[in-house]
Amino acid sequence: MSQRDVQQAQHEREDIVLQMNEVSKVIKGKAIVDKLSFQIRKGEIVGLLGPNGAGKTTTIRMMTGLIRMSEGDIEVQGHSIKKNFKSAIAHIGAIIENPEFYPYMTGLDNLRQYERMTDDVDDDRIDEVVQLVGLQEAMNKKVRSYSLGMRQRLGIAQALLQRPKLLILDEPTNGLDPAGIREMRDYMRTIAEVEGISILISSHMLSEVEQICHRAVVIQNGKLVTVTELGAENSVSEEVTLTFRVDAIEPAIAIAHGTEGIQVVRTDFIRDQLTVTMNNKNVPELVGALGAAGVGLYRIEENRQSLEEDFLKWTGGNRIA
Amino acid sequence: MHNLKRLVVNEWLKLFKKRSFFVPYALLIGMSFIVGYVIHSFAAGMFGSVYDFTVTMSYIQGLGQVVTIMAIIGSSGIVAKEYSQGTIKFLLIRARSRTSILASKYITALIYGLSLTLATAVALFISGSIWFGFSGAEGRWVDVLGSLGYSYVYTVVYITLAFMIGILTTSGGATIGITMLMLMLDKTIIQKEFYKYMLFPNLDLSVYTDGGAPLPGMTLSFSIVMLAVYVLLFLLAGFVVFRRRDVA
Ligand SMILES: Nc1ncnc2c1ncn2[C@@H]1O[C@H](COP(=O)(O)OP(=O)(O)O)[C@@H](O)[C@H]1O
Ligand SMILES: [Mg+2]
């Protein structure tokens, strides 16, 4: 390995905030999480996506040391959750399922609890995170009187207090109304920007993950289904599926069949439509060939399989709540 | 050490910030005065001085056991409530070991028991000085401290027992129920050799002061060793389970 490769590898390792290595959780002989591996890089917002019961909360509980791993290990900033819990967890802030506080204490008293459990956090930091989630007015009210949305925000404040490298949120919009969901999304964007940290958001709703995450880790029955980049729709992929509407369908089919690298997927004689898959760079060539043969073109449409369809396919469709 | 102290402050505040925090103190202080008044009114010759009164009333057979009951009720939720409220999740995802978190809870429960014991002692002393006066007062402080010591040992054993049950059951109600049941049964003595190795006959160390023993062959040091063994066993069970348990 050259000096440069070594540096490169070093650099990549430093860039990884959380690494899951073949993590399993077996309860009563059943693998609730099954050999799960994925990573979260610096500054990335990752969605942990899967239908209800897929094992998202179980995975997050293992990341935060609330439950033991049956197999595998998780590293946070290079520290093993199993062997060096305190160093590893120091880089994580999390809300697991509902944020639960001491209801008879004020928001401030609750935050002070976690301040006293953390090194190097002072009242200024409390002010900072409270401002970030916009709870200044509610700090001296008892948590008992908080709405769910306020408790979520206090939960985020609690998680950010120790300046974590990774923020983990388990179904953060569960139970919130549309306005609350929108607000939550804004907070997450702000946090990623202001605090410059990685965020892991678990969700059973694709639309939610799609709107905010850079990447989605899709799991089903505790197993990894796929890891997919999001926001990639705008990039041009190699293979495209196009539907042509023409004035004469037969010569169009003949031309398509006669051109190398084009598969005819569907023909519709009633609407004079022809659907083909082909390499993106050959599209001008086909259009030219049609023009040269005197075939009139009314429109060309791209058939894009949406992420929604993919997600339904990955997770077996009907099981999604 | 600094970290542990901060954890203890946290646990104390969790008790202190409850609106019901002062209720057991008020009850015990109220009882101290009422008992003094009642005895003064109906059996004025019973105690020669404030020291007599304070020593006797501090015993387990006096208000000592009431202090223990209050301590059990007050500290029963110290572990169990974290589970039932769900606050255990935010508690355990910090850069602090489960051992030190649990230790801070145990220390806080002991401090709570001690504060109830001392508050009651002070109230008894004031009540006694009002109704029975200071005649024949020389050298009796030792007796007062002894009496408080015996009661506090009894309270500590029960706090430890309740602490373990709270961890095992994660239910405040079950903790109070089981511990109180044992507290009610602990005066029964079975006249069998093996019974001296049980917890109950060893609980009240004051029985040895006038040369007696609950069962033949029992001594003060024997009981102290037995209590220490039981307390360590309860703590061992509690800490092992708390450290290993999945929080789901
Ligand atoms: N302590 C447990 N004992 C047995 N089964 C469990 C336990 N915790 C979770 N499960 C099961 O594991 C599966 C995954 O649960 P969970 O991680 O909560 O899913 P998700 O958060 O993705 O909805 C579910 O089928 C659930 O019933
Ligand atoms: Mg879940």
Side-chain angles (χ1 to χ4, degrees), chain A residues 25 27 61 64-68 85-87 89-90 92-105 109-110 112-121 142 144 155 158-159 161-162, chain B residues 2-19 81-82 84-98 100-101 104-105 240 243-248:
Chain A
K25 179 69 184 178
I27 298 180
R61 283 182 196 279
T64 48
L66 288 179
I67 65 177
R68 284 157 179 269
F85 177 71
K86 285 203 273 181
S87 308
I89 198 74
I92 292 182
I95 307 178
I96 298 117
E97 294 194 317
N98 296 321
E100 316 279 7
F101 290 94
Y102 304 100
Y104 53 89
M105 289 194 210
D109 283 339
N110 271 283
R112 289 234 168 95
Q113 286 275 322
Y114 305 114
E115 178 191 8
R116 283 186 213 96
M117 298 186 80
T118 316
D119 305 324
D120 308 322
V121 168
K142 297 252 162 77
R144 194 197 314 281
Q158 161 280 139
L161 207 54
Q162 52 191 340
Chain B
H2 173 67
N3 283 346
L4 186 63
K5 206 175 84 194
R6 301 222 295 176
L7 291 178
V8 171
V9 170
N10 269 354
E11 293 305 325
W12 184 259
L13 287 173
K14 286 179 206 169
L15 294 179
F16 180 74
K17 295 269 176 178
K18 284 199 189 113
R19 218 179 306 159
K81 268 273 169 59
E82 302 275 7
S84 57
Q85 283 175 160
T87 44
I88 186 91
K89 291 178 292 182
F90 284 159
L91 187 67
L92 294 185
I93 58 166
R94 310 283 145 188
R96 298 289 180 267
S97 68
R98 288 197 185 186
S100 61
I101 288 171
S104 72
K105 288 184 171 294
V240 167
R243 278 181 55 83
R244 297 188 56 88
R245 179 155 50 206
D246 278 358
V247 177

Side-chain angles (χ1 to χ4, degrees), chain B residues 5 52 73 93 127 129 156 212 242:
Chain B
K5 206 175 84 194
D52 261 358
I73 295 172
I93 58 166
S127 161
S129 60
V156 166
F242 187 78

